[in-house]
Amino acid sequence: MASSTWRNATTEIHSGYAPSAPHRPMTVPIYNSAAYQFPDYATAAKLFALREPGYTYSRTGNPTVAVLEERAAALEGGIGAIATATGQSAVAISLLALLQGPGHLVASNKLYGGTVDLLTDTFADFGVSVSFVDPADPAAWAAAITEKTRGFLLESVSNPLITLVDLRAITEVAHAAGVPVVVDNTLATPAAYRPIDFGADVVVHSATKALAGHGSVLGGLVIDAGTFDFSDATRWPQIAAPRARYYGDSLLDRYGSKAYLMLLRSKFLHDLGPTLPAASAAAILTGIETLSLRVAKAQDNVLALTRALAAHPAVATVHHPSEHTHPDHALAARDFPRGTGCVFSFDLKDPAAVPRLVDSLRLFALAANIGDTRSLVVHPAAMTHCRLNASQLATAGIKAGTLRISVGLEDAADLVADLLGALDPLGAASTTPAATPRETINA
């Protein structure tokens, strides 16, 4: 069940599922089955040959997972989706499908640390080359394009410094060169921002984060806009050229605008096996039902915390576009009127005080996740971005004193009190003569 006229909150609850006979359960049933019985031999042969849609084995498709895929596609304005075991696997297969050959990728230099690991280490082992550029400079994206470029990758809201992008400007550069744009929309979520509306071709998510919202499950999603032209068989042989795997057909001839999605499902999901369990899909669906409510509440809490921190003597900088001094403040007002998600960062004046501050917090858990109902804190240089070298950290704007906050759904007054209670002793110390600096924490 779906409707293109529904608003977000309705889509979050109803899209992709309608109760059916004989029992008509209101919530999506969990189909915990590895395999599916075929009514006859002919049906089995057609399904395995990919000549008819249906379920053969849960590595490549499951009825519960299919509801999540349809709902995610509806929320992002895409034509379909592929669910995966983790957000990392969603990023990996969305790009591998484009870069096999191997190809060249142009990527933002302000990506999550785990994504940088994937691009600079594992993809390098596969022969994929990557050029990192400033996401705010469309000319840099254009200059980085080569004959082998087969994709752009960026985050709609960067992790951890919450920098934004003028996505329309970047997609215009990419499309002029015949290059698809992949956007990680994990931090913003479709409740706040839809990259496809700004020209993106593919959207990826760590569904573990705000989509699920409860920190109890892992999952990833790849959503296809269905608008990119893959018809050049020289540039896109994996989609537009005949393949033995598909009995001499091309995916484009067979599946049209859904050819890219079928490549993900029939090759990368099938061969590599990053399958999302049915129970995990059901848990993510439960979280999505309250997404708009949670995003709005978290945004209110973010604003309360950033206002309190901006005036604190122990804080050097608050990284959030709601701050009038933030370079993306005007862009946030134009393209992100519903906010940028539940994450922000700030820099301590004294980086050596990071361990003392973190250990003084009581409500903010030291945990490497975001989008939970609980508020969390991490030290990127020592945790999520620890394998970036000094140059990469500097380019990304991450300092030894940078702390990332994922704001939960607790009462804002309690969160402010906890954070200021941990900061106040540091502020008092900053007014006294400086002691000999200790070694700062770095990657």
Side-chain angles (χ1 to χ4, degrees), residues 49-50 243-249 254 266-268 270-271:
L50 304 178
R243 311 291 288 186
R245 184 166 190 150
Y246 308 108
Y247 304 91
D249 296 336
R254 273 206 191 185
S266 65
K267 182 179 178 68
F268 293 98
H270 179 278
D271 292 3

Side-chain angles (χ1 to χ4, degrees), residues 209-214 284 286-299 342 371-373 408-409:
K209 309 302 193 295
L211 290 183
H214 39 67
I284 295 167
T286 298
I288 288 176
E289 291 179 355
T290 59
L291 178 62
S292 289
L293 291 173
R294 290 185 287 104
V295 165
K297 169 62 176 175
Q299 180 70 7
C342 64
D372 200 325
T373 55
L409 306 183

Side-chain angles (χ1 to χ4, degrees), residues 339-352:
T340 57
C342 64
V343 176
F344 74 94
S345 295
F346 66 96
D347 298 337
L348 289 178
K349 288 182 178 177
D350 179 10

